Amino acid sequence: MGRKVTLATCSLNQWALDFQGNLSRVLKSIEVAKSKGARYRLGPELEICGYGCADHFYESDTLLHSLQVLKELMQSPITTDIICDVGMPIMHHNVRYNCRVLFLNKKILLIRPKMLLANYGNNREFRWFSPWTQPRHVEDYFLPRMIQEATVPFGDCVLSTIDTCLGSEICAEMWNPRSPHIDMGLDGVEIFTNSSASYHELRKAEQRVMLVRSATNKSGGIYLFANQKGCDGDRLYYDGCAMIAINGEIVAQGAQFTMDDVEVLVATLDLEDIRSYRGERCHPHMVYEPKHYHRVKVDFMLSVGEDVSLPTNQPIRWRFHTPEEEISLGPACWLWDYLRRSGQAGFLLPLSGGVDSSSTACIVYSMCVLLCQAIRDDNHQVLEDVQRVVGDTSYRPEDPQELCGHLFTTCYMATENSSESTYSRARELASQIGSYHINLNIDMAVKGILGIFSMVMGKVPQFRVNGGCARENLALQNIQARVRMVLAYLFAQLSLWARGRPGGLLVLGSANVDESLTGYFTKYDCSSADINPIGGISKTDLKSFLQFCTDHFHLPALRSVIAAPPTAELEPLANGQVSQTDEADMGMTYSELSLIGRLRKISKCGPYSMFCKLIHTWGESCSPSQVAAKVKHFFRMYSVNRHKMTTVTPSYHAENYSPDDNRFDLRPFLYNTRWSWQFRCIDDQVTCFHMLFSSTSMLLSESYGNWTSFP
């Protein structure tokens, strides 16, 4: 009997409800796995219909079409002589489950429903699915006649081949403190599989790899991790990272960010390495569960007879991307998926010359770099998609700058309040990345709108520096910002028409996560766009990203962008120089905002809890009264402006403290902005600190006086 098994896992760029495309990508992955000698192939979670179907899971059509795709897979000659493990929704006893379906040679072997659902962060699985709540329990599932007239095991069971035993986990089950692989390993299961739809967040990959390694580090075994990749229709980017591990060591690593729609990892591993590893760690008396897993037996081997000469995969060191590289790659891949699937011809960005819009421009340029590299690597799908987007079947990009000129339009919209420095920075950056750049002045439009108001109301609003009140000052800033939004959409619709090219452009937004948190942007200004690649990224990370782009992409224009103070340039200049800065307007620094955002979302802090934590964190630089003032100021801004999040542009999800109102951060948008009870608790605590400080000072003074009078 052979003892070396060849197994395959994959990352697929699936698209919600794209049943035809999803079918072709699943078949392609199986074909590649077989060509590399694999006898088992694992795919991502819900790969047949796509993970992001959301409320479409309620529709019977989604269930029907998933079964139709399953039938196509089972009847395809590509799927013969390999165990195929695919993900799809299935209804059992009128209850909808998120399932794995394992089949071999046109016969379904078992159906394993998900037991521990993901219901945190962006996940809402309890809305559409029920968990299988009966450990080690198996029932008969009556297959639809379109598949085959038979019953198959449905439940918490494992697959027993002639030479080994294999058990399934589904995504969040690996992250749970009671992961199924623990009990399965103690019951003799040697191969664990995890089909995931795990989305990207900055600095998350290391935790994912650690969990895969730890799954087999304690009790041995092989662990296969499959994941979705790409944008399947919403704010999330699924970042691949397919991997294979044995006994706590990674032996195969997939890409985290790539333009390839199908990536297959194959590894050959020795089952005897598992048995030797477990020899001194796992003994029968360690199995505390009296009930064993139901084993579905199949007359099939994952190993081959003569395998002595077959080499096995050896441990490798995982190479993690830096956060700056993640920002460069993840949003770029997300933008490309969105562009090619939307049917549009490119992007338009209002480029102000500041950190945020420059970061968005650099992400688009990074996308062009990735596309050119994929084309050089003979990725025919990418070349075909590029030609379709630019409307030229003979086009082949020469370099990223040239491609950027076809796909990317930037526009500097000046007013009388714009400085020469931002104009120069925008022009230089556009030149270096190769975008089609437009310079225009919007004063005529602003004055025309104000003229209508003055004619109707008989009053002319003034900026604060010219004697106007705060309401006038804010309204005059907002009208500039909103005119830019209207013009951005006009140019997005007609600029290609004016240049004699087909199609329209997607408008890109460029508000960062910290500004969204405080509402430091004008509702329906340039932050209102089709999509925003940096809406989930902090200002601090964006500055580091621009420094990375300066060196990595050789963009010296970014040095002046990084050095300049962030400003909206909506108030009059003072002697030709910027008089308005973002941090002065917000009343706190971006680094302070980032910390407050993490406490609010990740640490689940309200005003009082946040104050109690920050008096220690900021204790060396701020008094309790100053900390209280900052916390109150933040929550006033946050609650006054929360309504803006209900209309904010769909943004790439990258941070776990994002205030995205769509499904990640569900809060009211009409608050009592006085926070009277909460702020009174803070004031009481500040008073206690002052009393304690005064008492301590008096004691020290008395002690000091006694000490000096001592003979």
Side-chain angles (χ1 to χ4, degrees):
M1 181 185 295
R3 66 185 203 180
K4 294 178 182 178
V5 294
T6 301
L7 311 168
T9 185
C10 63
S11 293
L12 303 182
N13 195 333
Q14 303 298 75
W15 190 8
L17 302 176
D18 178 24
F19 292 98
Q20 187 62 53
N22 293 347
L23 170 62
S24 65
R25 287 181 285 271
V26 171
L27 283 173
K28 179 66 176 177
S29 69
I30 297 171
E31 183 179 30
V32 172
K34 282 184 66 177
S35 70
K36 294 183 177 181
R39 306 269 286 172
Y40 167 87
R41 173 268 182 200
L42 174 71
E45 184 176 14
L46 294 169
E47 61 189 299
I48 285 180
C49 58
Y51 183 80
C53 294
D55 281 0
H56 288 289
F57 283 123
Y58 289 135
E59 300 168 2
S60 60
D61 282 10
T62 304
L63 296 168
L64 170 64
H65 299 327
S66 295
L67 288 169
Q68 290 170 336
V69 170
L70 177 62
K71 179 181 178 180
E72 293 277 334
L73 288 170
M74 293 176 64
Q75 292 180 345
S76 171
I78 293 174
T79 62
T80 57
D81 298 327
I82 181 172
I83 295 177
C84 298
D85 188 337
V86 298
M88 59 183 286
I90 286 182
M91 185 170 282
H92 176 55
H93 293 169
N94 292 328
V95 178
R96 193 180 301 102
Y97 294 98
N98 175 350
C99 295
R100 303 304 301 174
V101 178
L102 281 71
F103 66 89
L104 170 68
N105 293 334
K106 302 182 180 181
K107 179 183 179 182
I108 293 178
L109 304 175
L110 64 87
I111 300 174
R112 201 281 200 175
K114 192 171 185 177
M115 302 176 68
L116 303 168
L117 301 183
N119 208 53
Y120 46 83
N122 284 292
N123 302 113
R124 294 287 181 273
E125 291 182 10
F126 272 102
R127 181 177 174 89
W128 308 299
F129 300 107
S130 294
W132 182 257
T133 57
Q134 304 174 78
R136 296 172 176 76
H137 177 73
V138 177
E139 297 177 356
D140 286 335
Y141 176 76
F142 290 84
L143 292 169
R145 283 174 294 177
M146 63 185 296
I147 302 296
Q148 60 191 64
E149 293 191 18
T151 61
V152 295
F154 184 102
D156 184 21
C157 53
V158 298
L159 184 67
S160 182
T161 63
I162 294 173
D163 48 357
T164 187
C165 188
L166 181 148
S168 299
E169 285 187 328
I170 305 177
C171 198
E173 293 175 349
M174 178 180 70
W175 300 73
N176 194 278
R178 187 68 188 271
S179 296
H181 69 257
I182 298 171
D183 291 339
M184 287 192 292
L186 292 173
D187 199 20
V189 175
E190 295 180 322
I191 301 171
F192 313 107
T193 67
N194 186 297
S195 55
S196 283
S198 180
Y199 55 82
H200 175 237
E201 283 181 349
L202 294 176
R203 306 171 180 88
K204 178 181 175 181
E206 189 168 353
Q207 186 179 7
R208 189 186 290 143
V209 173
M210 178 188 69
L211 286 170
V212 169
R213 292 187 61 188
S214 67
T216 57
N217 186 55
K218 289 174 286 188
S219 59
I222 295 170
Y223 203 101
L224 280 75
F225 178 85
N227 196 19
Q228 189 163 306
K229 69 164 68 171
C231 167
D232 80 337
D234 62 11
R235 295 159 171 80
L236 306 179
Y237 179 80
Y238 300 92
D239 58 334
C241 287
M243 65 188 96
I244 302 175
I246 181 171
N247 299 340
E249 299 286 350
I250 302 294
V251 296
Q253 172 186 354
Q256 186 175 11
F257 309 105
T258 174
M259 293 293 180
D260 297 328
D261 284 346
V262 176
E263 181 189 33
V264 179
L265 286 186
V266 175
T268 299
L269 299 167
D270 195 335
L271 295 173
E272 289 302 314
D273 289 339
I274 303 169
R275 294 156 188 167
S276 298
Y277 189 89
R278 288 179 171 178
E280 61 178 345
R281 284 176 168 81
C282 302
H283 303 284
H285 69 269
M286 295 175 63
V287 181
Y288 56 88
E289 292 286 354
K291 186 176 180 181
H292 293 283
Y293 279 87
H294 175 79
R295 279 166 160 74
V296 177
K297 299 178 177 63
V298 56
D299 186 17
F300 188 76
M301 295 176 61
L302 297 182
S303 59
V304 294
E306 297 297 328
D307 58 11
V308 176
S309 61
L310 192 63
T312 57
N313 289 60
Q314 298 303 305
I316 60 173
R317 182 182 295 275
W318 191 283
R319 195 269 181 186
F320 293 100
H321 290 291
T322 65
E324 294 77 19
E325 289 174 329
E326 289 186 82
I327 295 171
S328 171
L329 298 169
C333 294
W334 181 75
L335 283 180
W336 176 240
D337 278 347
Y338 199 101
L339 177 60
R340 66 185 177 129
R341 289 171 171 171
S342 69
Q344 299 302 299
F347 298 113
L348 181 138
L349 171 70
L351 182 61
S352 69
V355 167
D356 295 335
S357 62
S358 297
S359 297
T360 300
C362 288
I363 288 170
V364 176
Y365 181 68
S366 176
M367 180 194 79
C368 294
V369 171
L370 292 172
L371 291 172
C372 288
Q373 183 59 54
I375 292 170
R376 284 194 294 271
D377 294 339
D378 293 326
N379 188 319
H380 300 293
Q381 182 64 58
V382 169
L383 179 59
E384 180 183 315
D385 287 338
V386 167
Q387 291 171 341
R388 179 171 45 81
V389 169
V390 302
D392 183 354
T393 56
S394 64
Y395 175 70
R396 189 180 183 94
E398 297 296 327
D399 56 61
Q401 286 86 356
E402 188 239 350
L403 178 58
C404 202
H406 281 81
L407 298 180
F408 193 30
T409 298
T410 51
C411 185
Y412 182 81
M413 303 184 192
T415 70
E416 59 188 13
N417 303 319
S418 302
S419 65
E420 176 62 30
S421 59
T422 54
Y423 167 80
S424 300
R425 293 199 298 266
R427 182 190 60 206
E428 290 171 12
L429 179 59
S431 174
Q432 290 174 16
I433 65 175
S435 66
Y436 181 85
H437 190 60
I438 300 169
N439 285 306
L440 60 95
N441 190 292
I442 67 171
D443 281 333
M444 183 185 302
V446 173
K447 290 175 180 177
I449 293 174
L450 290 175
I452 295 173
F453 175 84
S454 300
M455 181 177 64
V456 173
M457 302 304 297
K459 299 194 76 171
V460 180
Q462 300 293 331
F463 282 105
R464 184 163 33 212
V465 296
N466 297 326
C469 67
R471 281 190 293 173
E472 294 173 77
N473 196 66
L474 183 59
L476 290 173
Q477 294 182 68
N478 287 345
I479 194 61
Q480 298 170 73
R482 287 175 176 140
V483 165
R484 286 182 173 129
M485 184 272 288
V486 173
L487 287 173
Y489 273 97
L490 176 64
F491 276 82
Q493 286 183 294
L494 294 180
S495 61
L496 292 184
W497 165 77
R499 294 161 58 190
R501 288 183 49 194
L505 302 174
L506 293 166
V507 179
L508 295 181
S510 54
N512 63 63
V513 70
D514 300 319
E515 291 170 351
S516 296
L517 186 62
T518 58
Y520 182 66
F521 60 89
T522 300
K523 198 173 187 180
Y524 305 118
D525 70 344
C526 281
S527 65
S528 295
D530 292 312
I531 50 175
N532 179 1
I534 68 164
I537 306 173
S538 72
K539 192 81 157 192
T540 304
D541 281 337
L542 288 175
K543 283 192 170 183
S544 299
F545 165 65
L546 288 186
Q547 187 60 59
F548 164 81
C549 292
T550 303
D551 303 325
H552 185 71
F553 294 131
H554 309 293
L555 301 174
L558 293 174
R559 294 193 180 98
S560 59
V561 175
I562 298 168
T567 175
E569 286 196 338
L570 295 172
E571 295 188 39
L573 302 174
N575 299 319
Q577 300 299 314
V578 172
S579 60
Q580 177 188 29
T581 64
D582 292 352
E583 292 185 338
D585 281 354
M586 292 188 297
M588 56 184 62
T589 66
Y590 278 107
S591 60
E592 289 172 339
L593 266 179
S594 183
L595 176 57
I596 284 174
R598 294 176 191 280
L599 289 174
R600 182 198 70 96
K601 178 64 178 176
I602 302 172
S603 300
K604 314 297 188 291
C605 287
Y608 180 73
S609 298
M610 187 178 293
F611 167 77
C612 292
K613 289 182 181 294
L614 289 176
I615 54 174
H616 301 291
T617 306
W618 291 345
E620 294 185 3
S621 58
C622 297
S623 68
S625 297
Q626 290 172 323
V627 173
K630 286 180 181 288
V631 171
K632 291 179 182 179
H633 178 63
F634 166 75
F635 274 98
R636 285 194 192 100
M637 284 199 303
Y638 163 77
S639 55
V640 165
N641 291 316
R642 180 67 191 186
H643 65 94
K644 296 180 181 179
M645 293 308 300
T646 63
T647 61
V648 75
T649 297
S651 301
Y652 179 94
H653 177 83
E655 273 291 1
N656 53 6
Y657 71 94
S658 167
D660 169 39
D661 186 68
N662 176 258
R663 72 181 188 192
F664 183 73
D665 187 44
L666 306 181
R667 315 268 175 148
F669 56 86
L670 177 62
Y671 281 90
N672 181 344
T673 59
R674 292 183 293 275
W675 300 86
S676 52
W677 188 282
Q678 295 92 329
F679 287 1
R680 185 167 64 248
C681 290
I682 292 176
D683 291 338
D684 291 344
Q685 196 63 49
V686 170
T687 301
C688 290
F689 271 105
H690 285 316
M691 292 175 63
L692 179 63
F693 178 77
S694 299
S695 300
T696 305
S697 298
M698 289 178 63
L699 288 171
L700 288 173
S701 177
E702 291 173 2
S703 300
Y704 181 74
N706 292 336
W707 177 78
T708 55
S709 63
F710 192 79

